[in-house]
Amino acid sequence: MPAPKNFHLIHQLSRRIRITSPVLKNDQERCYILEIILKKRPEIKTVRSVYALGSVVIEFDPAGLPKRNLLILLDAVLRNIAHTQVEQHKQQKKEFDGPMQEIDLAVEGMSCASCALLIEMVLKRDDRVKQASVNFGTSTLTVIGQLAKQDVAVKVNELGYQTFATDTLSQRKKLIGRENERIAKARQRFVWSALLSLPVVVVGMTMPTSRWLHWLQFALTTPVVFGSGWTFFAKAGRLAKQRTANMDSLIALGVGAAYGYSLPPLFRRKGHLYFEAAAAIITFVLLGRFLEERAKGKAGEAIRKLVDLQPPTATVIRDGQEYVIDVDAIVVDDELLVRPGEKIPTDGIVIQGVSTVDESMVTGESLPVVKDTGHKVLGGCVNGNGALRIRATAVGMDTVLAGIVHMVDQAQSTKLPIQKQVDKISAVFVPSVMVLSAATMVGWLVVGAPFGFAFGNAITVLLIACPCALGLATPAAIMVGAGHAAREGIYIRNGESLETAAKLNVIVFDKTGTITEGKPKVSDFFKVSRLGEEKIIMLAASAEHNSEHFLGKAIVEYAKELSIELKPTAYFYSETGLGITAEIDGKKLILGNKAWLIEQGIKVDSLLTVASKFSGEGKTPVYMAIDGKEAAVFGVADKPRPQAAQAIQRLQKLGVQTLMVTGDTEKTALYIAAKVGIETVIANAKPEQKLAIIHQFQSEGKKVGMIGDGINDAPALAAADVGFAIGTGTDVAIESADMTLVHGDINKVTEAIQLSTDTIKIIKQNLFWAFGYNTIAIPVAALGKLNPMIASAAMALSSVSVIVNSLRLNKA
């Protein structure tokens, strides 16, 4: 075939290709259009686009769609897309020069998924906004761009919604308080509406001829419609000014029509009244909103428990005096007093006192940890029997606890790929229902039905539709799933990884600190240098004191056990995954693995026999050279985690391929792998090799998970389809990963995969019932088989059923 004109073929396998196209680059809308068109072909299994690069990965069935035909199809589709909306594309293209910021706000007043889409659409129209995402399930929004937070708040407030800051845990507590007030208010509105509506419905069902009963219906219905139900009309009016509509528009239209149609017959004393329908609709919808608010509150229980860990006040010492201040008033370097039994208000370093601290709620450490001068403490943990004075090192959103809360927040508010199509359907759903309602009324009038009958069916179509259930199907499940994971010690950074984990078929393990406990100890020492043993250990420990690597820390601890005093370093350099160089007391030191010393031109022949013996015993050899000559080798032992073998076995039972990729020696790696049941081992791997292995599996069409804990694992963790970081590992590894295993229990990987499977199953169930409900209910309503009261009750309860179904994840 001739060379394609609209794309470049970058990579191809028998069932998978990757292309890039200038037509798609930086154009999210065109990527969406391409995905929609391609996914209509049953031979095309998956389509994943990255609009920033104009890149598309397509998995297909070559038996049904040969690769040649697929390439011809792609060229034709992209040619058509290129000629579509070119002018609009030029107008919408945004250039961003200078820094951008991420703004997170809570939003109050959204009543359905259409509200979220409206806010998102308005924000995206602003040239200063690069990305905007609004989540109805969690009532939050995230904006990335060059707007100030106040500008975002003003735009949202103009649409009739309220925004609140979520920058500190104290602000989160206030929002939780408002949520409780909102639930109480929703209950109150429903109760008053129900008390007034009940007699109206009872009278309407008796079909009275007495005029004073008709006036009683009017008198009781009016406060229900314009009191309890006024918010529906107010929001519908604001949306009409924006030339859009949502579920409130349908309710306002249906209730207003029923109430307005009943007024002329009331005054003429002739004709049918629909007051009971108007009152009942409002009441049933308010019942649904109350149950929905309460169910959403239960879904957010995990966040609540985390936020409650932070105390509201702190005791600060200034000029020798104690003051009790709000926790948000703490600044870095403040000196704080934490009495026995109190919660530590923020992250800090102990400057005076000795105590034990219960860190289980944050780190998962089951036993209290002894804290002495110089030790780090975390906000939200409970102090034991001793008084501590600490110096604040982080405040606000920079604390570990706030970071965990933000991570759970992000996971709960992320939109999954499956949600994209739901959002598009929801955006056109309400206008479509209005058209169907009008068509229903016209259709019945054309066939000669009475006006009242046609009118009632039209209202029923309006009320039976439920975009709320569609909008809640995915975020409700994500919110509950991420919350349940947090309680189990799995902190999920983004919802997409929660979806992807179910599809993993390869798991790559690091060794040290991941499969092993990460608490290595020097078990053996062998020297060939003329320098004394103590001198060599002092030099090695002084150099490694600057390193964050587990093996380096083991050598430092070894020196401390021997009461060897360390010396300052004149020079220090670390090469991730290999070793370090340093200068102490005028001596140039090199420590690391064999490859590192050979790369530096050091011969290690005299150390090889002993190092090989260490490796055969499962110990990691750390080579050392002084002033360009081999000097010593340390044998560092690190036991496998108690649950490692069980974790590997469980993954293999799920059909997941497991392999160990480590920078350690082959003998040591094979020894540990044999202990835990891993057959495939790749040793002496540098960080770039770990990354290449991840990419190799991905190029074969496999979904790859990576579990690691160190700086050298960060690139692979970031590149993997799902990266799992050990919670006791380095900050860089945790920041690069999608999920953090707080307790360091790698068994949690299996739990995460199972939770992912269960979450996707719940999402599909939710979508099935939401789509199925509307598919069946709307035609039934149009055929005149439902009355408005039953329709409004069914609509209200459908949203609640989606949340209740999602809450089943808590029992998983």
Side-chain angles (χ1 to χ4, degrees), residues 247-270:
M247 194 65 212
D248 290 320
S249 306
L250 296 183
I251 295 166
L253 197 59
V255 171
Y259 183 85
Y261 180 79
S262 301
L263 291 178
L266 176 68
F267 291 104
R268 290 200 313 260
R269 301 186 180 184
K270 183 181 179 182

Side-chain angles (χ1 to χ4, degrees), residues 503-544:
K503 305 171 186 174
L504 294 178
N505 41 36
V506 178
I507 298 283
V508 177
F509 286 89
D510 175 45
K511 181 185 77 68
T512 306
T514 302
I515 290 178
T516 60
E517 292 181 337
K519 299 175 182 176
K521 290 187 176 182
V522 174
S523 57
D524 299 89
F525 172 72
F526 175 76
K527 75 179 186 74
V528 292
S529 170
R530 293 180 180 178
L531 292 176
E533 203 172 284
E534 189 171 313
K535 176 77 169 178
I536 293 173
I537 294 170
M538 181 275 292
L539 291 171
S542 298
E544 292 286 10

Side-chain angles (χ1 to χ4, degrees), residues 285-316:
V285 172
L286 291 177
L287 171 62
R289 295 282 166 88
F290 164 58
L291 294 175
E292 190 178 301
E293 288 287 355
R294 197 166 68 170
K296 282 166 68 177
K298 289 181 181 177
E301 196 66 37
I303 286 285
R304 260 185 218 87
K305 288 182 178 178
L306 287 169
V307 170
D308 285 341
L309 291 178
Q310 187 188 55
T313 59
T315 302
V316 65

Side-chain angles (χ1 to χ4, degrees), residues 569-645:
T569 316
Y571 166 80
F572 177 84
Y573 171 76
S574 173
E575 182 68 27
T576 302
L578 292 173
I580 64 168
T581 58
E583 185 175 335
I584 298 166
D585 269 358
K587 296 189 179 296
K588 294 181 180 179
L589 310 174
I590 302 172
L591 287 99
N593 59 26
K594 183 175 74 172
W596 177 237
L597 267 72
I598 291 174
E599 188 177 310
Q600 303 299 312
I602 309 295
K603 292 182 179 180
V604 291
D605 299 346
S606 302
L607 303 175
L608 288 178
T609 303
V610 175
S612 179
K613 177 176 174 291
F614 290 166
S615 296
E617 296 170 350
K619 301 165 186 173
T620 301
V622 178
Y623 295 81
M624 180 179 180
I626 301 175
D627 290 335
K629 294 181 180 179
E630 57 187 339
V633 61
F634 294 84
V636 184
D638 190 11
K639 296 186 298 183
R641 293 181 184 272
Q643 71 279 12

Side-chain angles (χ1 to χ4, degrees), residues 46-89:
T46 61
V47 183
R48 297 190 303 277
S49 60
V50 181
Y51 73 91
L53 303 174
S55 169
V56 183
V57 176
I58 302 165
E59 294 180 18
F60 64 100
D61 178 9
L65 181 64
K67 190 183 299 179
R68 174 187 171 84
N69 295 358
L70 173 60
L71 297 178
I72 294 171
L73 171 67
L74 275 173
D75 206 30
V77 171
L78 287 169
R79 182 174 63 250
N80 291 335
I81 291 175
H83 293 302
T84 304
Q85 297 178 331
V86 174
E87 291 303 315
Q88 182 181 354
H89 170 69

